[in-house]
Amino acid sequence: MNARPAIRDAILVRRMKDWLMRARCPLLAKGYPASKCRKNYLSLVRHHRALAERNSLCETDLYE
């Protein structure tokens, strides 16, 4: 992604929150199976762990 670090972090956090919302409420997923939403969220959180922790996002948020 070609963006400044601050903007890139904001975009990644937005994507994490978006996939978390879709995984929690399948009605909002619009064409995505719930398993794919969970996979995408977990992938983002695991790949950008420090960024997720700074924004209080973790892997177990899916199961609350």
Side-chain angles (χ1 to χ4, degrees), residues 14-48:
R14 174 65 187 228
R15 287 174 60 194
M16 287 180 203
K17 288 181 179 179
D18 193 38
W19 282 115
L20 177 61
M21 176 194 62
R22 288 178 181 181
R24 281 185 177 170
C25 184
L27 294 175
L28 300 175
K30 295 195 179 169
Y32 294 102
S35 60
K36 182 171 183 148
C37 296
R38 286 190 299 269
K39 179 190 74 78
N40 288 340
Y41 173 74
L42 289 174
S43 174
L44 282 169
V45 168
R46 288 175 181 157
H47 192 263
H48 306 282

Side-chain angles (χ1 to χ4, degrees), residues 2 10 13 15 18 22 26 32 40 58-59 61 63:
N2 293 327
V13 168
R15 287 174 60 194
D18 193 38
R22 288 178 181 181
Y32 294 102
N40 288 340
C58 59
E59 294 178 11
D61 289 342
Y63 309 107

